[in-house]
Amino acid sequence: MSGVRVLVGTHKGAFVMTSDAKRKQWDISGPHFTGWDVYHVKGSPADPNRLYAAQNTGWFGQVIQRSDDGGKSWNPVGNKFAYEGATGTHLWYDGTPRPWEFKRVWHLEPSLTDPDLVYAGVEDAALFRSTDGGQNWEELPALRQHETGPSWAPGAGGMCLHTILLDKKHPDRMFIAISSAGVFKTEDGGKSWRPANKGLHSEGIPDPNAEVGHCVHRIAMHPARPDTLFMQKHWDVMRSDDAGDSWREVSDNLPSDFGFPIDVHPHEPNTIYVVPIKSDSEHVPPDGKLRVYRSRTGGNDWEALTNGLPQSDCYVNVLRDAMAVDTLESPGIYFGTTGGQVYGSADAGDSWAPIVRDLPAVYSVEVQTLR
Amino acid sequence: MIRVVLPAHLRNLARVGGELKVEVTGPATQASVLDALEAGYPMLRGTIRDQVTHKRRAFIRFYACEQDLSNEPPDSPLPEAVASGTEPFLVIGAIAGG
């Protein structure tokens, strides 16, 4: 029997939510790691029982947890994230150089084919890899050591590597995104990287069309069409059809083109979802209405999805890693809010219902389709 | 045998209930106690001190015998009462908030 498992990271722990394919009734377990920030929980596409979770606090630092039974039990694994070689400097908020310093893991991306291979995107921005199920971590240093590295600067949330896109058709290709350096692309498994930000325009930086320095909030890709990428930038929703070599804006009729998450329909590579947020200075939904916007044309023609979502007096945010899609025939779309709600739709966004309403602030939402 | 008291989050992480007891070879110092603690409970590595530099994490303090030992050199001898197991070595998560 098929079903889904939704993995939620919050300000005070992790939650695991399971349902059958109807996605009406939910079993909720948690909090796991109570009291810790859990920035991300994600399952292995190669083994659905293998989950990884990133927990941290300012007191005790970073811990990585692993489950081998679908989230019923967890065990801490390795947490030594040591930069490779000379640390170097990046720019600090005041424009002075500042040595790279590990702070936390933002995102865990398990391999598409090997449950023991997992990537970690960290703050200060760098990419790490474990080949033994999280016991040991090694940096892929060429990214941090890119010639533009000394000019990278943190966004308001820190200088985080928050997005890692893997591509089954091109196993050596990978895209990552850093706030606020932008997108970088490798074609050789991480040995070398180049910026992939051509076409981005950001008014808040000295050269609005710079090669790096853009505050990219999230990028997404459909596995069947890996040369097409979608981006929610700080401002602007963008699209690339040449594997990141160039981007064009597709925001059009959105009520605001500021936001954090973006995701792609599992069966329609040209159908995408965003959650518009009023502005970078306010971080609330426009007009107090929580609306997911869907474009069936890959951007530029957006429809508001409101059925079941609060349409008055709603002032929550939806963070960059807090949206996910399952792959059931009628696909499920999920997102979590800083107000602690996790909403789900079992009909591709046409209607929504809360799975849970009163969690701590939600940092991340992932979903596994179980068959 | 050295008695060690951890904050609640680290007791949960190490899956222990109350005080821990660790065996130290050689002089009882902050460093030797933490070495023994991390050898017995590897999941605590990095949560009290940095794994590379061994520098105490900013919001962690070390108390014993009503003294704050946090800024003592890591290789300084701990009080005899700690070395003999009469008094515990306290690992404290700093109280913060508002």
Side-chain angles (χ1 to χ4, degrees), chain A residues 34 58-61 74-75 79, chain B residues 9 15 45 47 51 57 94:
Chain A
T34 312
W59 284 265
F60 309 117
W74 296 85
N75 286 298
N79 61 344
Chain B
H9 279 311
R15 293 178 184 158
R45 289 176 183 156
T47 63
Q51 296 197 63
R57 290 188 58 80

Side-chain angles (χ1 to χ4, degrees), chain A residues 15 24 36 50 61 73 84 101 143 210 231 236 250 328 359 361:
Chain A
F15 296 82
K24 299 292 186 191
W36 294 65
R50 170 64 62 83
S73 65
E84 183 77 28
E101 180 185 11
L143 174 64
M231 173 192 294
D236 304 333
V250 293
L328 292 173
L359 298 186

